[in-house]
């Protein structure tokens, strides 16, 4: 099952919008240019309505044809400016939206690459993908279409209201009373809609995470005949999304009919009162006609904004999730000590001088827990001299992998210290520390691309000759040469066109080309058959030669030649020594070899 879905704490929508609009500062020309053209279009639209009064009065009240033609020409010019303003304003804002989204995507990906491993342990891949796709796409759509509309609507409403007050304060008062009623309704309905849109985005992330997990685990689902079970689970997740989406849309679609109905009621009241004022001689027919048009113009932006409220609220909910991810604390690195790596050489930089790096590792009373108060490792003490091979064996959950995760500082220890050539690893720059290490994991991850590119991932400046040499070292050259395109063979996502053993061999070649001082093998041969294991044995021996190696072993036959074997249980080292020493003790390790107990 998928991990618990992230539930970002919603921020204040106003704060979210302010932060979102701050991205416009990176493109000031597009922003101010777009705003300028939008204002031009809005003002021109108001002026067009204002021209109705003199045009109608020049025909109905005074009948002055030259005056009428002059006003018509002026209106044509104003309409032309309005069209140009709308065209250029929308164009500028569309480009501004795309560049802002481009900036946000870059920040998201860059920030994600700086997050600690612990973040990805507690957030599902599908959930993060939902933020990168659904939330960003919704935000893009809103910025591209809604921002300019909101700005136009604001200017139109304010400018139109001013013109209405100039024409008739009494008629304007009627409109104000209905607007106050509308604000109360919008506040009530809009608040409920906003909460439901946040719930909708969270449920969408949960569903995407579940689908991604089921897609990657289809073989397991089918092997255990769990199709019906996962279908039922999906129905539950999908039903939650349907309910939250329905509630969000329900309140959203209510707004437009409400606004539309109120606008017609206002129009009717204004018509009756306006007719009375014309009869009383207070207003002209042209004044009433212009006011009626202003009244329609006044409510039209409100109707349009309420119609787009669904998109706006969904975009704000998406923006909250995006900013919550961007606010996640990045991996800290307080290490100041640097290591210089160049080709086959690695050296400490001490007072501007290079001191050869040897590769010794010492654990001194190290304790660690992933969660406060829950220790996974307890008072671990061990040493690995440069070039030694140290093996860890024990039941699942004993803490073997955790030890290797601490060496490269994927996690920071709670107590004790780890020394690297006598230097506390917490004082070493993380990038430099990890540049001297390579890891071969049980679960191999190869990237989409050629075999050559995947091997070179261990050291990007490696030549083609070095790539081939690394493959030969891992005994991968044999099967690669049999492929139609050899080292240029293209691997699809997950490298499904290779066997598990072949993928593991490429992973070992990738580690070899990095030329590490510390080599970590996390059950590296547990997923390969006996024949493949024998193929890589010689290559692994060459790779480990002269390097400090930590081996987590599932097959005890692979650790018999280790300098020291650590037998672990419940986060503690209960036995240690060479294979012969441990066998002579006839303890836990002896029982494992004798087959009286098994590794979990």
């Amino acid at each position: 099952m998928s991990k618990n879905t992230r539930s970002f704490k919603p921020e204040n929508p106003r704060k979210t919008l302010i932060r979102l609009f701050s991205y416009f500062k990176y493109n000031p020309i597009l922003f101010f240019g777009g705003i300028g053209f939008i204002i031009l279009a809005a003002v021109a639209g108001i002026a067009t309505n204002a021209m109705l009064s003199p045009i109608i009065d020049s025909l109905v009240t005074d009948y002055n044809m030259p005056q009428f033609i002059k006003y018509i020409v002026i209106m044509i010019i104003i309409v032309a400016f309005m069209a140009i303003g709308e065209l250029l304003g929308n164009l500028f804002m569309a480009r501004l939206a795309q560049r802002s989204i481009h900036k946000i995507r870059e920040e998201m990906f860059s920030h994600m690459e700086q997050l600690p491993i612990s973040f990805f342990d507690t957030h599902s891949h599908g959930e993060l993908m939902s933020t990168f796709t659904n939330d960003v796409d919704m935000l893009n759509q809103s910025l591209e279409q809604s921002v300019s509309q909101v700005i136009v609507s604001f200017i139109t409403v304010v400018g139109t209201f001013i013109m209405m007050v100039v024409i008739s304060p009494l008629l304007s008062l009627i409109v104000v009373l209905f607007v106050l009623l509308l604000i109360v309704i919008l506040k009530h309905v809009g608040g409920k809609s906003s909460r439901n849109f946040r719930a909708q985005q969270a449920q969408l992330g949960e569903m995407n995470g579940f689908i991604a997990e089921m897609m990657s685990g289809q073989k397991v689902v089918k092997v255990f005949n769990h199709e019906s079970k996962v279908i039922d689970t999906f129905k539950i997740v999908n039903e939650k999304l349907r309910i939250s989406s329905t509630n969000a849309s329900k309140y959203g679609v209510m707004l437009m009919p409400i606004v539309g109905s109120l606008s017609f009621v206002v129009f009717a009241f204004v018509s009756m009162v306006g007719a009375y004022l014309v009869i009383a001689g207070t207003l002209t027919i042209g004044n009433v006609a212009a006011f009626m048009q202003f009244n329609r113009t006044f409510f039209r932006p409100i109707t349009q904004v309420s119609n787009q409220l669904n998109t706006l609220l969904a975009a704000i909910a998406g923006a909250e999730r995006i900013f919550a991810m961007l606010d996640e604390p990045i991996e800290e690195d307080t290490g100041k000590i640097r290591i210089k790596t160049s080709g086959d050489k690695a050296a400490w930089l001490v007072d501007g001088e290079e001191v050869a790096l040897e590769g010794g590792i010492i654990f001194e009373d190290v304790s660690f827990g992933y969660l406060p108060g829950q220790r996974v490792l307890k008072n671990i003490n061990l040493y690995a001299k440069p070039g030694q091979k140290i093996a860890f064996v024990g039941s699942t959950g004993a803490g073997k992998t955790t030890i290797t995760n601490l060496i490269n500082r994927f996690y920071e220890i709670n107590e004790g210290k780890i020394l690297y050539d006598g230097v506390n690893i917490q004082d070493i720059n993380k990038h430099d520390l990890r540049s001297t290490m390579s890891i071969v994991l049980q679960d191999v991850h190869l990237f989409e691309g050629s075999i050559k590119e995947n091997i070179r991932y261990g050291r990007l400046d490696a030549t083609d000759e070095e790539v081939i040499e690394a493959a030969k070292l891992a005994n991968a050259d044999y099967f690669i040469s049999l492929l139609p395109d050899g080292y240029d063979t293209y691997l699809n996502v997950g490298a499904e066109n290779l066997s598990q053993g072949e993928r593991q061999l490429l992973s070992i070649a990738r580690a070899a080309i990095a030329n590490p001082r510390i080599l970590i093998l996390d059950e590296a041969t547990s997923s390969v058959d006996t024949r493949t294991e024998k193929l890589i044995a010689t290559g692994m021996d060459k790779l480990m030669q002269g390097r400090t190696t930590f081996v987590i072993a599932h097959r005890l036959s692979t650790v018999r030649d280790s300098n020291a074997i650590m037998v672990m249980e419940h986060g503690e080292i209960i036995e240690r020594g060479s294979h012969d020493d441990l066998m002579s003790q006839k303890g836990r390790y002896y029982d494992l070899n004798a087959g009286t107990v098994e590794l979990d």
Side-chain angles (χ1 to χ4, degrees):
M1 299 299 294
S2 60
K3 298 174 185 176
N4 291 334
T5 301
R6 169 184 41 166
S7 178
F8 287 142
K9 181 180 179 181
E11 295 185 25
N12 187 309
R14 181 183 302 175
K15 179 181 178 182
T16 301
L17 288 173
I18 292 174
R19 183 170 178 179
L20 180 61
F21 292 152
S22 69
Y23 283 89
F24 292 166
K25 68 183 179 182
Y26 297 105
N27 299 278
I29 295 178
L30 289 177
F31 176 69
F32 289 109
I35 293 295
F37 284 117
I38 288 174
I39 293 175
L40 173 64
V43 172
I46 296 172
T48 300
N49 293 335
M51 291 301 297
L52 288 176
S53 180
I55 288 175
I56 293 175
D57 286 339
S58 65
L59 285 179
V60 177
T61 305
D62 301 325
Y63 190 72
N64 188 331
M65 185 57 67
Q67 196 82 348
F68 172 77
I69 294 174
K70 183 181 74 172
Y71 289 142
I72 289 295
V73 172
I74 294 174
M75 176 172 276
I76 292 173
I77 295 173
I78 293 175
V79 169
F81 275 105
M82 182 174 64
I84 294 172
E86 286 183 354
L87 174 63
L88 295 179
N90 290 334
L91 180 61
F92 274 49
M93 294 307 293
R95 291 185 175 180
L96 177 64
Q98 289 298 328
R99 294 192 180 185
S100 299
I101 291 297
H102 177 266
K103 179 69 175 177
I104 289 174
R105 284 196 188 103
E106 284 188 340
E107 285 191 6
M108 289 175 66
F109 191 83
S110 176
H111 188 77
M112 182 187 72
E113 290 299 305
Q114 299 177 70
L115 292 173
I117 293 294
S118 58
F119 174 84
F120 300 97
D121 288 342
T122 55
H123 298 78
S124 72
H125 295 173
E127 186 183 353
L128 295 177
M129 282 302 300
S130 180
T131 302
F132 270 94
T133 54
N134 296 324
D135 293 338
V136 172
D137 287 345
M138 185 64 69
L139 186 58
N140 179 37
Q141 179 182 349
S142 181
L143 286 178
E144 201 170 83
Q145 300 176 4
S146 302
V147 172
S148 59
Q149 182 63 53
V150 170
I151 297 174
V152 169
S153 298
F154 176 77
I155 297 173
T156 300
V157 168
V158 173
T160 298
F161 183 73
I162 293 174
M163 295 301 298
M164 290 166 66
V165 172
V166 171
I167 293 174
S168 174
L170 178 59
L171 295 179
S172 300
L173 179 61
I174 296 174
V175 175
V176 169
L177 294 177
F178 279 95
V179 169
L180 293 176
L181 175 61
L182 180 61
I183 290 174
V184 174
I185 295 174
L186 287 176
K187 185 176 180 180
H188 176 72
V189 177
K192 290 182 175 295
S193 184
S194 178
R195 288 192 295 273
N196 281 286
F197 267 109
R198 284 193 287 267
Q200 176 190 353
Q201 293 299 100
Q203 293 295 337
L204 184 60
E206 180 180 356
M207 188 182 74
N208 287 338
F210 181 79
I211 293 174
E213 189 175 36
M214 290 305 103
M215 289 177 65
S216 62
Q218 270 301 295
K219 291 181 180 179
V220 177
V221 172
K222 293 186 181 299
V223 164
F224 292 100
N225 296 316
H226 281 330
E227 292 92 340
S228 298
K229 173 64 176 177
V230 298
I231 289 173
D232 291 340
T233 304
F234 177 78
K235 286 181 179 178
I236 295 173
V237 176
N238 195 32
E239 177 66 11
K240 291 180 181 178
L241 177 60
R242 183 194 67 78
I243 293 173
S244 60
S245 298
T246 300
N247 289 335
S249 300
K250 175 178 67 178
Y251 290 106
V253 298
M254 286 172 57
L255 292 177
M256 187 175 180
I258 292 174
V259 175
S261 299
L262 280 176
S263 66
F264 283 119
V265 173
V266 174
F267 190 84
F269 269 93
V270 170
S271 298
M272 290 186 293
V273 177
Y276 173 79
L277 294 177
V278 171
I279 295 172
T282 305
L283 296 177
T284 66
I285 295 177
N287 292 148
V288 175
F291 192 94
M292 298 297 291
Q293 183 60 31
F294 276 126
N295 179 68
R296 294 176 68 88
T297 303
F298 182 80
F299 279 94
R300 187 183 302 119
I302 299 176
T303 304
Q304 291 173 341
V305 171
S306 64
N307 191 34
Q308 293 185 355
L309 192 61
N310 286 3
T311 302
L312 286 170
L313 292 176
I316 292 174
E320 289 177 349
R321 287 161 57 88
I322 290 171
F323 293 144
M325 176 184 170
L326 290 174
D327 290 338
E328 288 284 344
I330 63 174
E331 185 177 22
E332 295 183 359
D333 185 7
T334 57
K336 302 298 183 182
I337 298 176
R338 305 304 302 266
I339 300 174
K340 179 181 179 181
T341 56
S342 177
D344 295 333
K345 298 179 180 179
W348 300 95
L349 296 180
V350 181
D351 297 330
E353 297 183 2
E354 297 183 13
V355 178
L357 187 149
E358 297 178 354
I361 295 289
I362 298 176
F363 278 63
E364 292 185 355
D365 297 318
V366 172
S367 294
F368 170 77
Y370 293 100
L371 298 175
Q374 298 181 15
R375 292 199 299 177
V376 177
L377 296 178
K378 307 166 188 175
N379 301 317
I380 299 296
N381 288 278
L382 65 87
Y383 67 88
K385 295 180 180 179
Q388 283 190 330
K389 177 181 177 181
I390 307 298
F392 298 95
V393 299
S395 304
T396 299
K400 305 184 297 296
T401 299
T402 300
I403 285 182
T404 59
N405 284 336
L406 297 181
I407 295 175
N408 48 43
R409 291 185 69 191
F410 283 165
Y411 300 91
E412 301 293 351
I413 61 177
N414 302 127
E415 299 175 16
K417 58 185 176 180
I418 302 174
L419 304 178
Y420 190 10
D421 281 359
V423 179
N424 193 325
I425 62 170
Q426 293 183 329
D427 297 330
I428 305 172
N429 178 270
K430 283 186 178 180
H431 176 273
D432 292 359
L433 174 70
R434 293 168 184 171
S435 68
T436 67
M437 301 180 180
S438 280
I439 304 178
V440 179
L441 301 172
Q442 178 182 3
D443 297 322
V444 179
H445 184 89
L446 298 177
F447 298 93
E448 186 175 6
S450 69
I451 287 179
K452 184 188 301 181
E453 291 170 344
N454 270 277
I455 295 176
R456 189 178 280 127
Y457 200 84
R459 182 160 57 87
L460 298 179
D461 61 352
T463 64
D464 289 351
E465 290 74 16
E466 289 174 320
V467 168
I468 296 173
E469 190 63 31
K472 289 180 177 179
L473 185 66
N475 280 332
D477 179 71
Y478 174 74
F479 87 82
I480 296 175
S481 62
L482 295 178
L483 297 173
D485 297 320
Y487 285 84
D488 293 320
T489 299
Y490 191 83
L491 304 182
N492 55 25
V493 178
E496 295 296 333
N497 47 339
L498 296 179
S499 70
Q500 177 64 31
E502 290 169 341
R503 293 198 292 268
Q504 190 64 276
L505 290 173
L506 292 184
S507 176
I508 294 169
R510 182 170 59 190
I513 204 170
N515 193 27
R517 293 296 172 272
I518 304 292
L519 184 62
I520 299 172
L521 307 176
D522 190 349
E523 310 231 18
T525 60
S526 64
S527 298
V528 300
D529 54 41
T530 304
R531 177 181 177 277
T532 305
E533 183 179 0
K534 290 179 179 179
L535 280 176
I536 67 174
T538 303
M540 291 301 297
D541 287 340
K542 293 179 181 178
L543 180 60
M544 290 186 289
Q545 189 174 0
R547 294 182 171 89
T548 307
T549 305
F550 294 91
V551 180
I552 298 175
H554 182 74
R555 297 174 181 170
L556 296 180
S557 60
T558 62
V559 302
R560 291 181 178 178
D561 62 340
S562 301
N563 297 99
I565 300 172
M566 308 291 168
V567 184
M568 300 191 65
E569 286 296 334
H570 307 297
E572 297 180 289
I573 299 175
I574 60 173
E575 296 177 7
R576 70 180 73 206
S578 66
H579 171 76
D580 293 337
D581 292 338
L582 293 176
M583 290 297 289
S584 64
Q585 294 176 18
K586 294 188 177 182
R588 174 73 171 179
Y589 183 79
Y590 177 86
D591 293 338
L592 291 172
N593 276 270
T596 56
V597 296
E598 296 181 356
L599 288 173
D600 296 335

